Structure formats: C-alpha cells, structure tokens
Amino acid sequence: MRVHAFASSAIAAVFLMGGACAAGPTVSRPAVLDESGPQVTVTRDGDHLNIDYRFGRDVPVWAFMDSALETDSRQPWRPRQWTVQTPGVVMERRGHYDIIRSTDGGPVPREVQFRVRPQAVDLEAEYPTLLFSNGAVALPTRQLDVFALPSVQAAEAVPDDLNRVTLDGGSSRVTWRDDNGPVLFNGRRHDQLTTMDERSYVLLGEATVTPGEGLSTVIDPNLPPWIGEEIRGFAPRVGQYYRDRLGAPGSGGDTPIVMVAWNGPTEQMTSMGGSVLPGLIVMSFEGRGVTTAQPDIMERSRWFIGHEAAHFWLGQTVRYQFADEAWITEGGADLMAVRALKRLDPAYDDRSELQSEVDDCVNLARKPVAQAGGRGEHRAYYACGAVFAMAAEGAQKQRTGGDWLDFLKPLLRQPDGVLSREEWLTALTRTSRDPSLRGDMERLLDQGAADPSAVIARLFQRTGVAFRVADGRIVLS
C-alpha cells in the first residue's frame, strides 16, 4: 500500500500514504549485502540536472530501486527524462526495473554521467519529482539508489516487490549542489548537502520558508494566492493542535514542513496531488480550475493536511508492526483529522465524514479486514480503523470524559517505536474494562462477518457511540 488515488471530472488527486511501515511516511527498504553504495553528485544547471555516478567496483548491470511507471501512460519515467552522456552505456527497461549496462556486455564504467530534464509526472507507488513554476525542482532523496546484478537476464527475473529481498547494493551517497545558490533540505539552506539513508526531498532553486509553530511551509511563488493563503493559514494550526494535544512528534526535533508546487493553469484540469515522508508533506496543484477559490479543493486540501500531519505522530512517532495492521495508523489518522478539522472549523461536517467511514467499513468487512491489502481493498484499513478508533474514543469518554487523542496519547510512548495490534487492543480492554470489544474487533480483522453492521452496532452500543439503525443501516446521531 503506497499510492492511493481518487479522480472525477472535477478533481483528481494522488495521495502517497506510505509503504510497508504504513506510517504513511515510511517505506521499507530491502536487505542489502553491500552498504557502501555508489557516490552520486546531483548538480542543478538552469532547467537541467547533471547526475554523475561513481561506482566503486565493476558490475555488469546496475538497476534503479525506484523504477515506478508513470500513472497515465504506464511507461517508465526515467528513460524519458535522463539522457546518458557516457559513451558505451545505455539505459533501458528490463523486467520491472530501469537498468544501465555497457553496450559491449562488459562491466559498466566506474563513472557514468546523465543529463536530466526533470518533469513532474504522477508515478505508480513511488515518490515523484516536483517542479516549481520558478524553475526550482525537488527530488526524492532515495530516487538515486541502485543495486548490482550479474546480467540483463538477472534483471528480468527480479520481482517487482523488493521487500524481504536481499540485494547486492546499498543506499547511494548523494551530494546535492545548485550552481545558482544553496539547496533546501528539512527547511534549512545548505551550500552543499550530502544524504544517504534519509527519506525526504531536496529542493534545488529558489524557495521561501515560512516558519510556523506547528508546521512550516515552502510554497511555490506562483501558486494561486488563495491556495497559498489557505495552506499558510491552516497547516500551522492543525500541526499546533496535534502538538498541543499529543506533545512534539518523534524526538521533538525539527518542525514538520508542507512543501507546495504549482504546475500551471492547464486547461480543463483541476488537480491536487501529494505525498508524505518523515517530517514533510508534499503537495502539488495544477489546472485552470484551481486558479480561483474552490470549496471542494479547500476541503480536500485541509483533509489531506490533517490526515498526513497526523502521521507525524501516528505513523512516525510510532508505526505499526506488520502490514496487516495498517488500520492502526490509517484509521487512527482519519479520526485525528476529523477531530482537528472540527476543532479548527466548527462548521466542518464531521458527522458526514465519519458516516462514510462506517458505511465503507460495513461494505468491506464481510471479508477479513487484516487481509484487505492483498485484495487491493486498502480503503478497509482507513474505514474500519476509523470505526475501531471511534469505539476506543467512546470507551475513553465513558471512562474519563476524554476523546480519541486522549486514548492515543499514552500509546505514542512505545520504547521500540512500534504500536502493535496487541498493544492497541490491550489498551482498549484496559480503558473499557470490556474484553468483548476486543473479541468483536478481532472477528472483523481475522474472519470478517456476514453482517458487519451488527458487529459494529454492538461495538458502538457498548462504548456509547451515538447511532440509530434505519433500514438495516447504522446512522450516526
């Protein structure tokens, strides 16, 4: 589960919610045999990038770990943007990966250069390049990682999922430079920057950081003003709300950042996309339809920021243990966003949002929720996770008068940074003093139910969540 999208004639969006760690922002990496990795230099030169690889050994084939396809064309993006400058070397697609090899079948030269014209395209299950209207470009730090292979045929045999695969290669050591000035990383400027294991973005070009107590912002100077004003006004407030209720995220270090790009007023288009990584929310807007204020876009952008900012706590401060426990972070972040948006905007229709969660959980919990990812039904993690969080909130209210964030706060203090299913359910039993709640949730998680509405109704009855049943449908009150 890494990329989720919704689209209509009015608005299209791509939300990157995270990978195997389901924090939203954390993506698992395969095991490696050699952690030295290549040395890479990225230099911005006007509207181009020069990318220079220096390999420490002779290898027949190097393959790029991040070799996603473009969402629309389902074609590899890298060969369309990168031009090999080194004679005798070709880049091509083999199997699921972009590779480089020598034309004569021998080892790849120890030094390989590329000339890159970056483009902003939506990618399947991967972090995209961001282009800013003033010529600045932001690249994912791990986009340059490669692994070694003994042959082209071996490249064709590598599975598309690298998790739990042992690879001969490691994180690239990348030096970032801009001929026209410093680079931006984690909200700070650097004349030159080196990254290796970080999972974030580096921005090359002009950008202004607007500090905030909860969230700082980096916004494209040509973004339609109403969007910039909305994000600058809202993002720090939602971040501060979470901080006030839950304390500083993680170790309490740098203030999280929202980075927003503008891809121009394309005709007959209204789009918003985004991704989330540790300490960073990335968004991009495009289309004539967003040049003037649009209530739908404002509402979805607020929701996106609210949900993704929640992952700085529920997803980064603690993460889930196994992929089938994604309901802990995704459903929990949904309810966090609902509570934050209602607190910051009393007119926000929180009941409608939560009703959608209940309806979707009913539809998706006829089969085991824990196995939803394997069925491609990732929405079950969000919807049923939110239903479980609502029940936990109800139990907290009955016990102390508190809410979901009060239930969640002590769970964020896990010494190993992992909030497991067992720990979550144990906390529910401790708060509610009713072990039958756990039993019903485990039934939905592991078996599903012929009538999920009946199971959810029992959960809500025992935890005090207000609802009525109308024609067999649970309707929140």
Side-chain angles (χ1 to χ4, degrees):
M1 183 268 305
R2 287 171 64 181
V3 172
H4 297 271
F6 67 84
S8 71
S9 59
I11 182 170
V14 178
F15 292 162
L16 189 55
M17 300 298 195
C21 291
T26 306
V27 178
S28 62
R29 305 298 292 180
V32 297
L33 297 176
D34 173 18
E35 295 185 357
S36 61
Q39 306 291 313
V40 187
T41 301
V42 179
T43 305
R44 176 174 175 262
D45 175 16
D47 57 0
H48 286 80
L49 302 174
N50 296 313
I51 299 181
D52 300 328
Y53 276 82
R54 178 174 296 176
F55 302 106
R57 55 196 170 108
D58 293 332
V59 169
V61 173
W62 289 99
F64 291 89
M65 290 185 186
D66 290 352
S67 292
L69 300 177
E70 295 181 9
T71 302
D72 294 335
S73 68
R74 304 214 76 241
Q75 296 296 313
W77 67 270
R78 190 176 277 106
R80 293 169 178 251
Q81 300 182 31
W82 293 31
T83 302
V84 180
Q85 301 292 296
T86 304
V89 177
V90 296
M91 173 186 285
E92 61 187 10
R93 185 77 169 189
R94 290 298 182 103
H96 301 289
Y97 298 93
D98 304 331
I99 69 167
I100 53 175
R101 62 173 178 83
S102 296
T103 55
D104 62 6
V108 175
R110 293 290 187 96
E111 295 186 3
V112 177
Q113 298 179 331
F114 298 91
R115 180 76 165 166
V116 178
R117 182 69 178 265
Q119 300 175 31
V121 294
D122 291 332
L123 302 180
E124 294 181 352
E126 198 47 77
Y127 300 99
T129 295
L130 293 178
L131 289 184
F132 289 70
S133 59
N134 63 349
V137 59
L139 270 67
T141 53
R142 303 300 297 273
Q143 193 180 82
L144 303 164
D145 290 352
V146 295
F147 58 97
L149 291 166
S151 66
V152 170
Q153 292 71 28
E156 294 172 342
V158 179
D160 60 346
D161 184 359
L162 292 178
N163 291 315
R164 300 186 178 92
V165 175
T166 299
L167 299 176
D168 182 5
S171 303
S172 298
R173 184 177 180 85
V174 185
T175 299
W176 306 84
R177 299 170 178 160
D178 186 343
D179 286 347
N180 297 314
V183 303
L184 182 71
F185 181 69
N186 286 346
R188 295 188 176 94
R189 285 291 186 178
H190 305 263
D191 291 334
Q192 180 175 295
L193 172 73
T194 299
T195 62
M196 187 169 179
D197 293 317
E198 298 88 345
R199 193 56 149 157
S200 190
Y201 273 77
V202 175
L203 188 147
L204 303 110
E206 290 296 322
T208 300
V209 179
T210 303
E213 292 296 326
L215 290 171
S216 296
T217 57
V218 179
I219 294 181
D220 192 308
N222 294 312
L223 186 75
W226 77 270
I227 300 175
E229 292 170 3
E230 167 64 26
I231 292 174
R232 286 191 189 94
F234 179 77
R237 293 171 62 211
V238 74
Q240 190 61 50
Y241 173 77
Y242 292 147
R243 188 178 290 260
D244 289 344
R245 295 295 310 276
L246 300 173
S251 62
D254 294 335
T255 299
I257 294 171
V258 180
M259 183 182 296
V260 188
W262 170 239
N263 294 330
T266 305
E267 294 293 341
Q268 298 182 334
M269 176 178 286
T270 301
S271 73
M272 180 186 73
S275 62
V276 61
L277 297 105
L280 175 67
I281 296 173
V282 173
M283 304 177 73
S284 62
F285 293 85
E286 181 178 0
R288 178 70 65 183
V290 297
T291 55
T292 57
Q294 301 287 339
D296 288 349
I297 296 175
M298 182 181 73
E299 179 178 333
R300 294 318 300 173
S301 66
R302 286 187 171 192
W303 172 261
F304 178 74
I305 292 170
H307 177 101
E308 299 309 332
H311 279 313
F312 296 144
W313 284 265
L314 188 55
Q316 290 183 20
T317 301
V318 294
R319 63 188 186 279
Y320 61 60
Q321 187 172 22
F322 301 111
D324 59 10
E325 297 173 355
W327 58 270
I328 294 173
T329 57
E330 299 304 350
D334 270 6
L335 189 55
M336 284 180 67
V338 168
R339 296 305 177 226
L341 268 62
K342 186 65 174 180
R343 171 64 175 166
L344 298 176
D345 179 9
Y348 170 68
D349 190 355
D350 56 335
R351 185 181 301 175
S352 176
E353 192 72 47
L354 294 177
Q355 185 66 56
S356 295
E357 306 276 24
V358 173
D359 292 343
D360 288 349
C361 183
V362 168
N363 291 332
L364 293 167
R366 292 181 175 86
K367 297 179 181 179
V369 172
Q371 300 173 20
R375 301 191 300 269
E377 295 178 342
H378 299 286
R379 172 62 184 153
Y381 294 140
Y382 296 77
C384 293
V387 166
F388 296 163
M390 291 167 64
E393 179 180 62
Q396 186 72 43
K397 184 175 182 179
Q398 290 178 329
R399 179 78 178 275
T400 68
D403 63 4
W404 166 236
L405 277 77
D406 292 310
F407 177 86
L408 181 63
K409 186 174 182 177
L411 295 181
L412 299 177
R413 297 191 291 267
Q414 303 296 326
D416 60 355
V418 174
L419 175 58
S420 69
R421 164 175 160 169
E422 176 64 27
E423 289 163 337
W424 196 102
L425 293 173
T426 297
L428 175 65
T429 301
R430 183 171 57 248
T431 300
S432 67
R433 300 173 182 173
D434 182 355
S436 69
L437 298 175
R438 173 184 183 135
D440 277 346
M441 289 184 184
E442 289 184 320
R443 177 184 176 189
L444 293 179
L445 286 168
D446 299 329
Q447 304 172 30
D451 184 8
S453 292
V455 181
I456 294 171
R458 290 197 300 270
L459 288 172
F460 285 175
Q461 285 171 344
R462 283 169 287 168
T463 56
V465 178
F467 75 99
R468 59 186 173 85
V469 177
D471 297 326
R473 181 189 180 214
I474 296 175
V475 179
L476 297 176
S477 301

